[in-house]
Amino acid sequence: MNDVGLSTKTESMLPAAPSAWDQLTNSTLVEQHQQHAQSQSQSPQLQASSPTTISAPLLTPTKTTPPDIAHTPSGTAPAASGVAGSGFNEELAPELTQQGWRKFWSKREGRPYFWNKLTGESLWEPPVLNRGGPAQFDPLTDPLGICSSHPMMGPNGPLSSHPHNASGYNNSLPSPHNHTLKRRASEDAQHTASMPPGAGGGTGASGGGPPPLKKYVLPGPWDLEVPTNVLIYERLPTTFPQPYPEVEALRGSLTMRLNKTYEDLCNKRESIAPPKDSFQRWLMERRTIDQGVDPLLPSQCSPEISPQMYREILRDIPIKIMKPKFTGDARKQLSRYCDAAKKIVERRGASEESKKIVKWNADDAYEWLRRTVGASYEDFQDRLTHLQRQCEPHIIATVRTSVEQLCAKLYHLSVQHARNIRERHGQILKEHSIPELAAPLQPPVTRKVWCYPVQFALPSPRMPQIDYNNDRDHMVIKYTNSAVMAAPDTHVVNISHLQKLEQLYRYNCFDDKKFDFFIGRAYCMLKRYATFLGINANPNQQEPELTQSALPAVVFECLYYHFNVTFECFASPLNCYFRQYCSAFGDTDSFFGSRGSFLEFKPVSGSFQVNPPYCEELIDASLQHIDRLLTDSAEPLSFIVFLQEWKEPALKCLAKIEDSPYKRKQVVVMGMEHEYRHGLQHCIPKSEVNFKSVVGTMVVWLQNAAGFARWAPTESRVDALLEAFRPGRERDRDKAATATSVPVQPSCSASANSPDVAATGNNSTSEISATSKPSTPATV
């Protein structure tokens, strides 16, 4: 039995000690518990059964209930030791107790220390009443330097309740000797503008305090310091295994093989080249309905035949129709269509009626070409349109079965590849002694939390060796595995985007604080997007700017300052502006801030930017999802949708926007009068990042009643957004940022004191304190 402690009989008669949180917030309960313990110890029965009975020491505060506050200078609260020093039983004076002082036992040092729950101050020696000033560092009485401000205490109280720290999950602790809190770069302008005249902002007697502490702002077309204003209901972690380099390399190899098979089927069966980017659109369309086991390749879809791929292949049969530039090109295209149409009905076993109709119309077009001299551009185009209208139904009836078989074969090959990838991933998990899930996960408690990245139900295997080296302003990441690929797999990312990935990883990754897995996970993410875009297969025929293009940074700044947009519904770690976003691949992107697929993301409130890639099924599903979210939530919810106006073919799903009861405003930015950022901005020269959009961009505000009341698209706000779209604004912003050392506030943004910003500011972020781990997010 320990020298200091309570007997079993004594413990049974004493009331339960107050919890750690009660000790911090309610000193009355602690004092009542101490008084009761003293009165019990003075009774004859207790003295007879336990002569050495003393009052039970206070429990050390722990981080068990929100807000998540560190209670000791080292960030971890020492538990009360079973063996205390000789002086641990000394009682504190009532005056010191009223001032917030408490006594705890340090297991590390083996002696007691004193901590003030009101000021966060800690001392080795007993505190002195009515001390005249702040304690100074004394190596004799305070050898560890804990006699300083509490690391989690700030000028306005605990950091977890501080408005500048209320929305981040992974805010790092400041130094114990750093008494100045750092603000986010995105809040500097609002903080300065919201201060009353003469308050702060200078030095000396008239400055009102010391100058603000300078902080490093990560340069680039993004603002990773913007806090989120999005609330969701807590959700289950994903059952996908964590990404692994060997598995990702195998997936890339099989996907490249599948893409090559698709090209061969189009060439040999249909005598056409595969429609441009149709394989990538097929992957996106399948993801809207896929319930399979692979995050990229379709493996469980119904129906098996993709309507998007079927429609695109038929559109290019018998030839791909393009808008000619000159009259001679229009004449050649009409002649080629006649030849291709006649060959299809002759070689593909068309019905006699189809052969008759197609041949007659083709011969009639030939006759018109022979006898017509000096026809205009419009004449050739009208004749081609007439020929298509007459022949197309018969051509489709002839090739329908063949195209359906092509789409079905591609899907079944994808299912087989996904199965092989899953089996190999399972073998790797077994080699690392990681068991697969034996039972389904239990649903979490329904509660509102700040949105947090995708979490995994399975741990990560140990990463293999991945080589990396600097090449001027780029980082080259190389992975070698002879069992999967013949040559090393190399990916290039420029230094600025690599720093961005590190910052996103620091904010959003919670199981790798030492960055041991960073390079491996960065490789998996880069490999996934290279596989999806087909960069390694045929970089000359792919246009990633069409599926991965992003809005200019000045437009995002305008959206943030005017409409409080803090979240992107379609982005990636490479092209995102905010640190919270949805992306196509939640497994590889979650370490860098992804909240998963937008179609599975169900926010309760917040302001969002929606810029989906060009895929009709994906855009249609997104608009339906937005409509359901706006219908189900009565809290402020706003979606600003950006859609490129492709005329050929026109999107049929856009009719749903016109009929939506949540449509508040719609404007169009004309083609060639605005820019986008290239989808490969992470590896191309900076001078090639911005490109002009050849088509117009339609901007639509979809908001429920509460969202419209808070973030209404007023005339001034819409004008500011259109001004931000003006070409050259981003280059002007970069030049201004280079000329000054402080972050540049865009001219299109409203003042922090304006009514627009006052109505849309982050007032809600100070109402909820997010925890430091996503497994226990802050509730509402």
Side-chain angles (χ1 to χ4, degrees), residues 436-454:
E436 296 189 2
L437 293 177
L441 300 175
Q442 296 298 323
V445 179
T446 302
R447 58 175 182 171
K448 295 179 184 177
V449 298
W450 292 120
C451 70
Y452 55 92
V454 172

Side-chain angles (χ1 to χ4, degrees), residues 121-190:
E121 189 178 2
S122 60
L123 294 173
W124 288 121
E125 301 299 330
V128 180
L129 288 176
N130 299 326
R131 290 184 298 162
Q136 302 296 327
F137 175 72
D138 186 357
L140 298 179
T141 60
D142 186 17
L144 297 184
I146 67 173
C147 180
S148 60
S149 296
H150 197 276
M152 291 297 289
M153 297 294 292
N156 299 324
L159 291 187
S160 59
S161 61
H162 197 278
H164 293 155
N165 197 44
S167 60
Y169 286 108
N170 193 27
N171 294 322
S172 58
L173 300 181
S175 170
H177 300 287
N178 186 5
H179 301 277
T180 306
L181 293 179
K182 297 181 179 180
R183 293 193 307 275
R184 293 184 176 91
S186 56
E187 296 178 354
D188 285 340
Q190 295 187 15

Side-chain angles (χ1 to χ4, degrees), residues 8 10 211 297 308 370 385 574 609 624:
T8 304
T10 306
L297 294 176
Q308 172 268 335
R370 283 192 293 267
T385 302
L574 300 171
Q609 177 261 359
Q624 294 183 26

